[in-house]
Each structure stands twice: as C-alpha cells, then as structure tokens.
Amino acid sequence: MADAGAGRSRWAAPALGAGSVIAIFAALEILLKTGIVNRFIVPYPSAVLLSLERIIVEENVLGRVGETAFEMFFSCIAVILIGVPIGTALYRYRALRRAVEDWVAALAAAPLVLAFPLFLVLFGRSSLTIIVMSVITGLAPIIIKTTEGLAGVRPVLINVGKSLKMGDSQMFWKILIPAALPVIFSGIRLSWTFVLISVVGIEFLINLGGLGQLINDLAERYDLPGTYAAILFVVGVSVCFFMILERVETWLRPNP
Amino acid sequence: MAATEPVRPKAARSQGWTAGGPVSGRDTNLIRIGIVLGAAILWEGVSRSGWLFQDVVPSLLAIGAAIGKMLVNPAFYANLQVTAGEVFASLAIGGALGIFTGIALGSNRFLGAAFEPYVYYLAPTPRIIFFPVMIMWFGVGAASKIALGALSCFFTVALSTAGGMRGIDTVLIRVGKSFRATPWQMGMKIYLPAMRVPVLNGIRLGFGTAMVTALLAETKLSNQGLGYMIMQIYSRFDMPSLYALLIIVFIIAGAGNLILGRVTGTNA
Amino acid sequence: MNNAAANAAGDKAVPVMPAPAAEAQLVIDRVSKRFGEGPGAVVAVDDMSFDVMPGEFVACIGPSGCGKSTLFNIIGGLQEEYVGNVMIDKSRIAGPHAAVGMVFQEESTFPWRNVLDNVAFPLELQNVGQSERRDRAQKFISLVGLQGFEKRMPSELSGGMRQRVSIARTLVSGPRILLMDEPFAALDEQTRLLLGDKITQIQQELHQTTLLITHNLTEAVQLSDRIVVMTYRPGRVKRIVNIDLPRPRTSDVVSSPAFGKYVAEIWGDLREEATRGMEEAEAGAAARGKTARG
C-alpha cells in the first residue's frame, strides 16, 4: 500500500535523528557555559571535536588503528578457520551435535572475557593474549550459525546433488556451502562483532596495544576532552566496521 | 531390522552429508562422557608432564581443592553480594529505560526511523571503553559499575523490545480492532502477550551483558566485587584459585541465564 | 454498475432466500478506493455495488490483485477512508462495526491462548462473566467440531483446525454478517472441501448472513447462493451469478453436472481477468528486473 506520507518522512526521520543529536550537543555546550553541568566532569562538545584533530595528529592514531587492525585481522581469520570446520563437523555428525550443542550455546552466553588474567599468565602482556582471548570469545556464534545454516539447506537441493551423483566434497563445496553461506555469514558478522568488542576491550583493560590503550592513556592523564574524543573515535570506527559487515551480509543474501 | 532395509547401510555411507537415523540418548551421553574424560586426561597429562609451567596448568585435584576452599571463604560471598547487587541494579535501571525506549521506537514508525539507527549501531560497540567517563561521573565505587552495566543492557533490551513490538503479527492487531477492542484492551490482551517473548529474551540477554560489563569494570578499577577478587588472585599468581573462581563465575552466569530462560520461557 | 446488480436480480433465477420485501442486510453502494496519488496511484476498487440479503451466502470472486482484500477491509471497517457507501442498518460503515464479524486469511489465532480462551476472546472484551463465557464459547467450539480440544494450544492443532478456531471466535461474537477473506487459502484441497461442508452446515444452522471473499472457484460455487465476479484492477463488478444448486448441500455437490456448468461459466468470465492480471504481473516483474540490472 503506497502511503502518501512515506515520501515526506524519508528525509524527515533521519533529519530529526541527526538534528536531535546536534541539539543535545548544543544544549550541553550551553549548560556547561552557564555552569549547570560541571566542566570538570563533562568537557565542552566543541573542545571534544577540536581534540579529535589533536588526537589524530599527536597520539599517532593511525598507528594505533593499525595495531588494533592487526590483532583484529588474525583473530577474525582464526575464528573462521576454527569455527566453520567445527560447525561443519557438528552438522555432519549428528550424535556429536546432540552431545555438545548445549555446551556451545552455554559457551556463547558465558562471560569468557573474564578469563583474560589467565591468558596474561600464559602469554604475558602481549598481542597474543589479546588475539587468543578474542578468538575464544568470538568462536561460539560462528559454530552455531554454521551448523544451523548447513542444517537449513533445503533437502530438495541435496536431492538434486544426489541425483547428479555428486561426491562428498562436490556436495559440500557446490551445494551445501553456497546454500548455507548467508546464514554462515551472519554467524561471521556476529563473531567479528564479538572479536572487535573483545580486542578493544582487552586493549583497554590490560593497557596494551591500539585504540583501547589510547583511551586508557588519556583517561589516566585526565585529558578530559581527549578521552571523550578518543571514545568518540573508537565508537565511530566500530560503527563503520558493523556497517560494512552488514552491507556484505545483505549483498550475500539472495534477493527474494 | 536388517531384513526391512538391506541396502540402507551402504547407501548411507555415500550420502554422508544427510546421514541420519535417530540418535539415541545413550550415544549422546557416551560421547559427552568421552569428551569430558578425554579433556580431563589431557589436562592432567599436560599438568604432570611439566611441558608448561606447572603453575599455569595446575592439577585438577588442585583446582578442585581450590573450588572447595573458595566456597567456604567468606570474602567470596561478600564480593559475590557486591557484584550481584551491581548487576541487578544495572538490569533494573537499564532494563526499565530499555523497555520504555523500545516501546516508543517500536510503536511509532517515525520515531523508530529517526532514532533506532543510533541505538542499533551503538549497541555492539565495546562498552567497557565508556568506563573512564563513568568513573568521572559516578566515582570509583559501585555506582560507576552500575551505570556502565545499565548502559550495556539498555541497548540490548531497547532493541529487542522495539523489534518485538514491530514483530507482532499484524493480523492479530486487526483481529483486535475487528472485535472493537478499546486501546486499553489492545494493550493488555494483544500487545503485551504478543511481545512477551522478545522482551523477556532481551532482559535475559541484557542480564548477560550487564554482568560481563560490571565484572570487567571491577577488574579494571575497584576495591570489591568478584572482578576485583579475580585481579587480586591474579596478582598473587595463585593459579588454582584463579581457575576455581573463574569456573564458579561461569557456573553462576550459566545458572543465571538458565534460570532466566526457564522463568521467561525463552531458550538459550 | 448498479445495473449489474439490477440485472442479476431481474435474472428470474429464483433466489434461495425468496423474501422480496426483505431489506438487504448489507448494501455496497458505488464503493471506490484508490491508493496514492498522481500517476503512481492504484485504483483498487472502482464503483462496486451489490447487496447481501439476510441469511444469504454471497461470494466475491476475482483474480489475485483485484482489490478483494481492500473491499474486505472496507466492509470490516479497517479501511476507514473510501468513496461511496457501505451500509448496515442504514448507517454508513466507518470503523469496525459490531454487526460484522471478520475471519482473516492469515493464521490469526492467538498463540498464547488455548482454544477455549481464543474463542472466548470477544466475550472477554465485552466483560462477559467467566462461566457464561465458557458456556457460549463451548457451544461454538462444538459447532465447528473441535470439542475435546478446548485446552489445546494453537501450535498443537493443524492449519484447518486453527482456522476453525478463528471462525468460532468470530461467530461467538454474534455477528449479523460474517465476513471472510480467503479463510481456506492456506489449506490443502481436501481440507478445504471438508471445511466447506462445515461452513455450509453452520450457515444453514445459524442462517448466518455471509460474505466470502475468495479466488477459489470450487469453493465459491460449493458454498454460495450468489457469486459476484470481479474484474482485475481496478476491481469492478463484472457479473453477478445466481447459484441455483439445491440446499442442504455437501461437498458431494462438486461432482454434479450443474456444479461443473457453473464453474465453467464463471471461469469463462474469470479467465480474461486472470490472464490480464498475470500479464501485468509479468510485465511488472520484467520492468523491475530491468531497473535492478540497469
């Protein structure tokens, strides 16, 4: 049903959203000026925006992004290389799936990141700690979604493969994987989101590496606008990361 | 059995991807026992072999003893109480705000289009990085952990409430209207029961995020709570106790999740 | 278009409910509805007129996309803005009317209520006391043949049973006009025929005035006293056919030669429209494909 209002609100809604964000910042600026909000707790929004530049130039943000990206890269690859085969095994061996499915689900809900002190002991304060911890955190969704995706392949497609006398590996690469790919990728997206949270979070917690450490450093120096600007920057980077993943996912999904 | 399907076993082998007779409960349990035993033997073997420092992979007996000791340690219960208090306060504050926001975003398409993208994209950002700000605002005590926990579960609850509101089968709303239900009746008899599952599921997930965030914040800066206790044990390099406490925390988290799942009728 | 209705009435086919002096229960009078404005506007319903007499079973049949559902929503009062008049008791419909009970095409039972509570739902809205609620709901549960399933949840029932729950739920509210939109669309052919029997039996038992919206020829002929054939986009009244098959009917009627004759006759009308609808849908898909690729 074509609604007459739809054309109007296409721009009105995002405008309201963005406008509200700007209005909140403007209001904050005024409240700070008048002293209603304490300047020693909340910096001027304008000062935060100005510090963005300072941070990028002086604090070697690009280098830090690189460091975080390096840890992300290895974690993300490892998550796929470990998670997809496990998910496939759980699909193929139903008894195994029945046996450990609940465990994997419990793993997904467990606060695994808390184990980071354990890995500090094992690997010291190094990137390896961050990577290993992040892989463990990100593994469950990809395993679950791989199994789910493969199990959800329409039986008729498998029957087509059988009727063409396809072998096991042909069946896997030419039918099962392509058919399950959208679901598997949604698992990848979830896993990579977990990985990002974990990488930045542990960087912050153990004060090592890229963007997470930046926030920690600035906070410890009590650089108020700097801390806020760095948080803003990290939030921005993560949002971009999610948006890209989401684009890829919609692109992979077959059009209805 | 063999008489009724004489060809089946051979055929099944070449159709590995779809192989499947029913799996018996006995097989499932055997596999589980096998995995647990295998892991235990491997662990104990590594521990005794001394390949890694013995401290890093302590004997299972040592871990077991540490768990026992932890469970009679009054400090553990004091810290557990602090953390539990923080988590429930977070859940109450963040959950209430989340449900309220979710209903606003889900019931009004315009508001949803204007503000939901912000909630949606901010939801998965690493929340722990807001901790310095929370310390500035609320101090180093429990309040900053509660605030951070509330912030974390707010997004989860808001998104699932909004989604649940929008996910209501529109035909059910039309049924209500066709019977001329009043707005109050629509809310109580249609919207509320239809949204129950996603909202409660959001609360369950929110509980998980609030707990992780509060615990992590405690490891970073605090003087009480289970997270603080973990860091204390870590600084003593008391590995058996570290394992013991982590195992206990995971079990508590799992149990909390399970109980909320049971209570709310949503699965993990 | 009023003359179409007049033609049909003057067709000399003896109406099944011969009450020449009776007032029509439901009057559809020059009803139109368009969506959108300008060149992109779609006229869903265009100047439709027909009546439904008390106790009569009328079916509206037309190809997919002919505006049937729009008409359903207008009569049910869910589509409040339209041109022309839908009259019940000399008052114009604008909003859900107590005299109209709707049965929807989609699965519409409440998944969180058992059969009894689903059926009792309208009584609950009217604050009917619990014991009376149970008695009245029970009566209609038996009427649709679901006695013994009162405590079951919808998820434990088959699609056909769930649709019967919906029908009972609507009947319990005591509508003077039962309005159904493709209530059997999601069901298989055999279930559909058997449910048709149930509907006929209920209609004969309650003398329930019914307007059925459907695209299914067999269903329409099996159940109706009169059939309003609609054109494809915009939806207009193409013809009104009196179905002069004996009552009481059962699904056995589908094997009679008279039944075949009616089906063939209406299919002749419908075929043109369905063909046109299919062509337009295909042209639309082709155009969409072009823009998607370009």
Side-chain angles (χ1 to χ4, degrees):
Chain A
M1 278 182 211
D3 216 40
R8 178 180 56 86
S9 60
R10 182 170 303 155
W11 294 108
L16 176 67
S20 308
V21 171
I22 293 169
I24 288 170
F25 284 136
L28 202 58
E29 188 94 15
I30 294 166
L31 288 175
L32 285 163
K33 280 239 163 69
T34 54
I36 296 173
V37 174
N38 189 341
R39 273 187 295 125
F40 298 104
I41 302 182
V42 182
Y44 285 107
S46 54
V48 172
L49 284 180
L50 288 175
S51 334
L52 263 181
E53 192 204 340
R54 178 166 61 87
I55 282 177
I56 292 170
V57 178
E58 289 173 20
E59 302 288 342
N60 182 27
V61 156
L62 286 183
R64 286 175 184 278
V65 170
E67 247 176 283
T68 301
F70 165 83
E71 289 156 0
M72 285 281 302
F73 177 79
F74 282 103
S75 309
C76 289
I77 299 289
V79 158
I80 293 181
L81 290 183
I82 300 170
V84 172
I86 295 180
T88 308
L90 291 191
Y91 164 68
R92 176 144 188 174
Y93 305 105
R94 284 221 321 208
L96 187 65
R97 180 178 178 186
R98 277 272 303 265
V100 301
E101 204 168 30
D102 293 345
W103 295 355
V104 178
L107 216 60
L112 291 173
V113 221
L114 263 187
F116 76 89
L118 215 57
F119 292 91
L120 277 182
V121 177
L122 274 172
F123 306 110
R125 270 185 64 226
S126 69
S127 284
L128 196 58
T129 298
I130 297 178
I131 292 173
V132 171
M133 194 65 252
S134 303
V135 170
I136 292 175
T137 317
L139 216 47
I142 202 167
I143 295 176
I144 294 170
K145 284 285 173 183
T146 301
T147 311
E148 188 189 307
L150 291 172
V153 173
R154 285 184 297 137
V156 64
L157 294 182
I158 294 171
N159 286 338
V160 169
K162 278 187 202 161
S163 74
L164 295 172
K165 310 249 180 306
M166 289 171 106
D168 257 12
S169 92
Q170 271 182 318
M171 187 79 119
F172 182 68
W173 291 109
K174 298 216 183 288
I175 294 192
L176 288 166
I177 284 289
L181 195 61
V183 182
I184 294 178
F185 193 82
S186 79
I188 292 179
R189 183 172 65 89
L190 277 172
S191 283
W192 286 8
T193 305
F194 281 23
V195 166
L196 175 82
I197 293 174
S198 157
V199 164
V200 175
I202 297 172
E203 280 178 355
F204 170 79
L205 288 169
I206 70 176
N207 198 21
L208 173 86
L211 294 169
Q213 190 193 22
L214 173 67
I215 294 169
N216 200 48
D217 280 355
L218 292 165
E220 277 174 8
R221 269 186 260 154
Y222 212 72
D223 178 348
L224 212 53
T227 308
Y228 279 75
I231 292 174
L232 207 63
F233 183 80
V234 174
V235 167
V237 169
S238 348
V239 169
C240 289
F241 183 71
F242 306 141
M243 282 178 152
I244 292 168
L245 286 183
E246 217 174 34
R247 277 290 151 80
V248 177
E249 193 182 342
T250 37
W251 175 72
L252 278 175
R253 183 162 295 151
N255 292 324
Chain B
M1 253 246 350
T4 50
E5 31 185 66
V7 210
R8 192 67 187 282
K10 245 181 203 159
R13 202 167 303 143
S14 65
Q15 297 164 357
W17 294 111
T18 52
V23 183
S24 77
R26 211 179 106 252
D27 285 356
T28 309
N29 286 334
L30 279 179
I31 292 172
R32 283 182 174 167
I33 292 168
I35 290 175
V36 170
L37 272 182
I41 290 167
L42 189 71
W43 180 277
E44 203 60 28
V46 170
S47 168
R48 305 243 159 143
S49 72
W51 290 339
L52 293 159
F53 315 100
Q54 203 171 4
D55 295 345
V56 174
V57 183
S59 156
L60 291 173
L61 294 172
I63 296 176
I67 292 178
K69 234 165 46 193
M70 189 67 71
L71 290 177
V72 294
N73 183 354
F76 165 73
Y77 291 100
N79 286 317
L80 174 64
Q81 206 180 339
V82 170
T83 303
E86 286 169 4
V87 172
F88 284 110
S90 304
L91 195 59
I93 298 169
L97 288 175
I99 289 176
F100 186 74
T101 311
I103 288 177
L105 295 181
S107 58
N108 187 318
R109 258 168 67 192
F110 187 70
L111 280 184
F115 296 110
E116 199 164 333
Y118 293 90
V119 182
Y120 178 79
Y121 284 110
L122 286 178
T125 51
R127 264 103 18 177
I128 188 72
I129 61 171
F130 289 93
F131 190 45
V133 174
M134 295 301 153
I135 291 175
M136 290 175 203
W137 289 1
F138 301 105
V140 293
S144 55
K145 281 91 191 171
I146 294 173
L148 195 67
L151 181 74
S152 312
C153 75
F154 164 79
F155 289 104
T156 317
V157 176
L159 284 177
S160 58
T161 304
M165 189 115 191
R166 238 175 285 116
I168 297 177
D169 197 346
T170 53
V171 74
L172 300 182
I173 295 169
R174 282 188 282 147
V175 169
K177 283 188 183 156
S178 80
F179 288 126
R180 306 195 306 152
T182 62
W184 170 253
Q185 287 173 330
M186 289 293 286
M188 295 309 291
K189 294 193 189 291
I190 297 196
Y191 282 96
L192 211 62
M195 283 170 58
R196 200 186 65 104
V197 172
V199 170
L200 292 178
N201 197 36
I203 289 174
R204 187 174 61 80
L205 296 173
F207 165 77
T209 47
M211 181 153 97
V212 179
T213 325
L215 283 166
L216 283 183
E218 284 174 356
T219 66
K220 184 71 185 170
L221 183 65
S222 70
N223 53 15
Q224 50 184 351
L226 291 179
Y228 166 72
M229 204 176 179
I230 288 175
M231 291 319 276
Q232 247 190 341
I233 294 173
Y234 162 70
S235 65
R236 291 203 309 266
F237 283 97
D238 180 358
M239 291 310 279
S241 298
L242 187 54
Y243 279 106
L245 185 51
L246 284 174
I247 288 170
I248 293 171
V249 169
F250 289 165
I251 288 173
I252 293 174
N257 193 44
L258 199 72
I259 291 168
L260 276 175
R262 282 282 155 75
V263 169
T264 61
T266 59
N267 288 320
Chain C
M1 275 300 143
N2 248 340
N3 50 358
N7 274 350
D11 221 2
K12 292 296 154 224
V14 186
V16 181
M17 286 284 158
E23 295 259 326
Q25 184 89 265
L26 172 70
V27 180
I28 315 290
D29 176 27
R30 306 188 66 101
V31 169
S32 300
K33 174 68 196 174
R34 75 158 65 205
F35 291 102
E37 274 161 46
V42 175
V43 180
V45 176
D46 188 27
D47 203 24
M48 283 189 72
S49 298
F50 63 93
D51 296 345
V52 182
M53 306 307 280
E56 194 182 23
F57 196 117
V58 175
C60 260
I61 192 169
S64 299
C66 76
K68 298 189 299 279
S69 289
T70 306
L71 184 69
F72 171 78
N73 283 333
I74 292 173
I75 299 172
L78 297 180
Q79 177 59 257
E80 298 182 17
E81 284 165 33
Y82 64 94
V83 177
N85 297 307
V86 174
M87 308 288 286
I88 293 174
D89 294 340
K90 302 196 169 60
S91 71
R92 183 176 187 271
I93 293 262
H97 194 288
V100 182
M102 303 172 83
V103 175
F104 296 86
Q105 174 178 359
E106 302 94 328
E107 166 61 56
S108 72
T109 51
F110 298 114
W112 58 84
R113 285 167 172 258
N114 65 25
V115 169
L116 184 68
D117 290 341
N118 254 294
V119 175
F121 178 77
L123 304 175
E124 217 176 290
L125 296 185
Q126 296 159 17
N127 297 318
V128 174
Q130 183 160 12
S131 63
E132 192 192 340
R133 217 156 65 201
R134 192 171 332 114
D135 293 346
R136 280 168 65 182
Q138 188 62 57
K139 193 181 125 204
F140 285 93
I141 290 171
S142 308
L143 187 70
V144 298
L146 284 177
Q147 58 274 53
F149 292 93
E150 290 82 357
K151 296 290 171 207
R152 298 291 188 87
M153 298 306 277
S155 57
E156 301 171 287
L157 305 179
S158 70
M161 290 161 94
R162 284 199 290 259
Q163 203 54 282
R164 277 189 275 168
V165 173
S166 303
I167 292 169
R169 182 178 63 189
T170 303
L171 288 174
V172 86
S173 66
R176 270 176 289 158
I177 298 156
L178 178 64
L179 180 61
M180 298 194 282
D181 182 16
E182 312 244 12
F184 315 133
L187 309 177
D188 63 83
E189 187 64 27
Q190 282 108 45
T191 313
R192 196 191 285 248
L193 282 169
L194 292 176
L195 255 186
D197 274 351
K198 199 92 229 168
I199 294 284
T200 317
Q201 181 201 328
I202 291 169
Q203 198 249 345
Q204 279 153 6
E205 215 162 292
L206 303 176
H207 297 289
Q208 178 70 54
T209 313
T210 309
L211 178 60
L212 171 75
I213 307 242
T214 183
H215 63 239
N216 186 303
L217 254 171
T218 328
E219 188 177 294
V221 178
Q222 181 195 349
L223 300 174
S224 308
D225 299 317
R226 276 195 299 151
I227 294 181
V228 178
V229 183
M230 288 177 73
T231 60
Y232 176 79
R233 213 174 273 178
R236 296 199 181 103
V237 176
K238 189 177 176 97
R239 206 154 79 86
I240 296 180
V241 183
N242 285 313
I243 303 299
D244 198 8
L245 293 170
R247 286 200 186 262
R249 282 180 211 162
T250 65
S251 48
D252 290 343
V253 78
V254 300
S255 57
S256 73
F259 183 89
K261 205 184 101 247
Y262 280 119
V263 169
E265 184 186 336
I266 297 169
W267 174 236
D269 284 328
L270 218 48
R271 179 182 202 153
E272 261 174 69
E273 303 302 326
T275 311
R276 198 152 60 81
M278 210 163 86
E279 281 165 6
E280 277 181 34
E282 281 167 8
R288 269 198 304 282
K290 240 176 230 157
T291 50
R293 258 175 264 125

